[in-house]
C-alpha cells in the first residue's frame, strides 16, 4: 500500500512510498483511510524521526476489518480514529479504544480534524475546571486547538481574549466570541485562567497578567524558545498563582469516550472545526510547510482519492 514516510530531511520531511499493509492486533480494527489531518507538532517530530516511525495521528475512514476480539465498530462503520502513528496511509490499524463511529451528518473531512486538536482542547478545559464567568487569556490561538478552545469556552460562558498574530488568522476567533489581540502585551486586564502554548517571552508576559490565585496552564512551546520565569515576579501581581504543565496524552482511559463527545458536539452544531485547507494527499509535503510557517488557519486536512 502507499503511505507517507519520514525522510529525515528538513527540506522535504516526507515522501510517498510503498510499505507493507498493517496487520491489526486482537484489539485493533483495520481502517481504510479517507482523510487525515496534519498537526504543526508533527512537523517538529519529522525533523528527527525515530527509526521505523511513520507519521499520522488523526484519521477518518471506513472499517474494513473488525477487531478480532469483538471489540469496537463493525465492518462498514464510518469512524474517526486517533492511532499512535502511521495514519498517513491508505490503511491504518487502530486500537478500538481510539475509534468513534460517525453519524451521517458528520463528514469525513470534518471528522479528520477532530482527534489531536479536539482532544487537547476538551481535556484542557476539563483540567481548568468550570469556566463560566472566568476571564481567559489564550495564546497561540489561531491553530486548531485555539479555535476549539475558544468555541467551547465562550459557549460555556467564559470571557476569552485570544492572541493571534494577524487579523486574518484571528477573524474566526472573533466570530466565535473572543476579543482578539495581536500580542500578549495588548491583552487588557488581568485573567483568572491563562492557557499558554507558545513559550519563549510570551509565557512570563502572560504570567504577569494573571490574577491573584489564578492559574496558568502551559500546554505547548510553539515558539521553540525556552521560557524564563522570575520567581519574585509572582509578588508583582499573580500572588499565590499556580503554573501547571499539561499534556493531552496524560489520561488513564481510552480516547474513544472523548472522541464520541467531540463527534456529538459537531453533529449537534455546537462545535465547528476550523479547516483552513483541504487538499489531495499528494500535497502533504506542501501543506506541512504551510502549516509550519503558519500560513494555514485552524486545521489542514488531506483526502485520499
Amino acid at each position: 500500500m502507499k503511505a507517507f514516510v519520514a525522510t529525515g530531511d528538513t527540506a522535504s520531511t516526507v515522501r510517498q512510498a510503498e510499505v507493507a499493509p498493517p496487520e491489526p492486533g486482537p484489539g485493533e480494527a483495520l481502517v481504510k483511510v479517507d482523510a487525515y489531518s496534519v498537526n504543526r507538532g508533527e512537523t517538529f517530530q519529522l525533523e528527527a524521526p525515530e527509526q521505523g516511525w511513520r507519521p499520522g495521528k488523526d484519521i477518518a475512514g471506513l472499517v474494513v476489518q473488525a477487531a478480532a476480539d469483538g471489540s469496537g465498530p463493525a465492518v462498514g462503520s464510518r469512524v474517526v480514529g486517533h492511532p499512535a502513528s502511521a495514519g498517513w496511509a491508505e490503511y491504518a490499524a487502530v486500537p478500538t479504544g481510539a475509534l468513534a463511529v460517525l453519524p451521517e451528518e458528520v463528514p469525513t473531512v470534518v471528522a479528520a480534524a477532530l482527534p489531536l486538536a479536539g482532544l487537547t482542547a476538551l481535556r484542557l478545559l476539563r483540567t481548568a475546571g468550570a469556566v463560566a464567568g472566568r476571564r481567559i487569556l489564550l495564546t497561540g490561538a489561531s491553530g486548531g486547538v485555539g479555535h476549539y478552545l475558544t468555541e467551547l469556552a465562550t459557549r460555556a460562558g467564559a470571557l476569552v481574549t485570544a492572541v493571534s498574530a494577524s487579523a486574518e488568522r484571528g477573524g474566526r476567533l472573533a466570530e466565535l466570541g473572543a476579543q482578539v489581540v495581536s500580542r500578549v502585551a495588548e491583552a487588557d486586564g488581568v485573567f483568572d485562567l491563562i492557557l499558554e502554548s507558545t513559550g519563549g517571552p510570551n509565557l512570563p508576559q502572560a504570567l504577569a497578567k494573571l490574577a491573584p490565585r489564578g492559574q496558568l496552564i502551559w500546554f505547548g512551546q510553539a515558539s521553540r524558545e525556552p521560557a524564563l520565569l522570575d520567581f519574585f515576579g509572582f509578588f508583582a501581581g499573580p500572588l499565590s498563582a499556580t503554573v501547571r504543565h499539561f499534556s493531552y496524552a496524560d489520561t488513564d482511559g481510552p480516547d474513544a469516550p472523548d472522541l464520541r463527545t467531540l463527534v456529538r458536539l459537531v453533529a449537534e452544531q455546537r462545535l465547528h472545526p476550523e479547516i483552513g485547507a483541504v487538499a489531495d494527499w499528494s500535497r502533504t509535503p506542501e501543506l506541512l510547510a504551510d502549516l509550519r510557517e503558519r500560513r494555514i488557519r485552524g486545521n489542514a486536512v488531506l483526502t485520499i482519492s
Side-chain angles (χ1 to χ4, degrees):
M1 71 169 187
K2 292 184 174 64
F4 274 99
V5 299
T7 65
D9 181 356
T10 55
S12 179
T13 53
V14 294
R15 64 178 176 84
Q16 200 172 80
E18 286 287 339
V19 302
E23 297 182 5
E28 295 181 326
L30 184 64
V31 178
K32 179 184 179 296
V33 180
D34 292 325
Y36 57 82
S37 178
V38 296
N39 298 284
R40 194 164 182 266
E42 289 172 305
T43 69
F44 302 147
Q45 285 183 279
L46 287 165
E47 291 178 357
E50 297 180 8
Q51 185 68 31
W53 170 80
R54 287 198 284 114
K57 297 175 71 68
D58 293 1
I59 70 165
L62 191 73
V63 174
V64 294
Q65 180 180 320
D69 65 0
S71 64
V75 171
S77 300
R78 293 174 61 247
V79 293
V80 58
H82 190 48
S85 61
W88 301 354
E90 292 180 303
Y91 294 89
V94 186
T96 56
L99 287 172
V101 175
L102 297 176
E104 290 184 6
E105 57 267 36
V106 179
T108 301
V109 168
V110 172
L114 285 173
L116 182 58
L119 291 173
T120 300
L122 190 66
R123 291 169 181 173
L124 258 173
L125 291 177
R126 187 178 295 148
T127 298
V131 297
R134 298 176 73 187
R135 299 159 296 179
I136 299 177
L137 177 64
L138 172 63
T139 67
S142 55
V145 176
H147 282 85
Y148 287 130
L149 277 171
T150 298
E151 184 165 18
L152 290 171
T154 55
R155 284 179 176 267
L159 304 171
V160 178
T161 297
V163 182
S164 176
S166 72
E168 189 279 328
R169 287 172 61 79
R172 177 61 178 154
L173 297 168
E175 293 175 3
L176 292 171
Q179 178 183 4
V180 182
V181 297
S182 60
R183 297 183 299 125
V184 172
E186 296 174 2
D188 186 27
V190 294
F191 298 89
D192 307 300
L193 172 66
I194 295 174
L195 303 175
E196 212 294 294
S197 66
T198 56
N202 278 345
L203 199 155
Q205 289 178 26
L207 181 65
K209 294 181 176 292
L210 195 60
R213 293 170 294 282
Q215 179 178 205
L216 183 150
I217 303 178
W218 173 71
F219 68 99
Q221 192 164 316
S223 70
R224 311 190 77 188
E225 297 179 35
L228 300 176
L229 297 180
D230 178 3
F231 175 81
F232 294 100
F234 282 82
F235 297 103
L239 189 66
S240 298
T242 300
V243 177
R244 176 174 181 173
H245 173 253
F246 167 88
S247 169
Y248 91 103
D250 184 15
T251 178
D252 294 329
D255 293 324
D258 285 343
L259 285 174
R260 287 195 291 268
T261 295
L262 293 167
V263 169
R264 175 176 57 81
L265 291 173
V266 173
E268 294 173 354
Q269 296 291 302
R270 296 166 61 191
L271 185 64
H272 302 81
E274 180 66 18
I275 301 176
V278 178
D280 184 83
W281 74 318
S282 60
R283 294 180 57 198
T284 296
E286 177 186 335
L287 261 67
L288 285 173
D290 287 342
L291 197 67
R292 186 184 181 94
E293 298 303 318
R294 299 185 181 278
R295 292 190 288 263
I296 294 175
R297 184 175 71 182
N299 289 88
V301 176
L302 287 305
T303 59
I304 299 180
S305 53

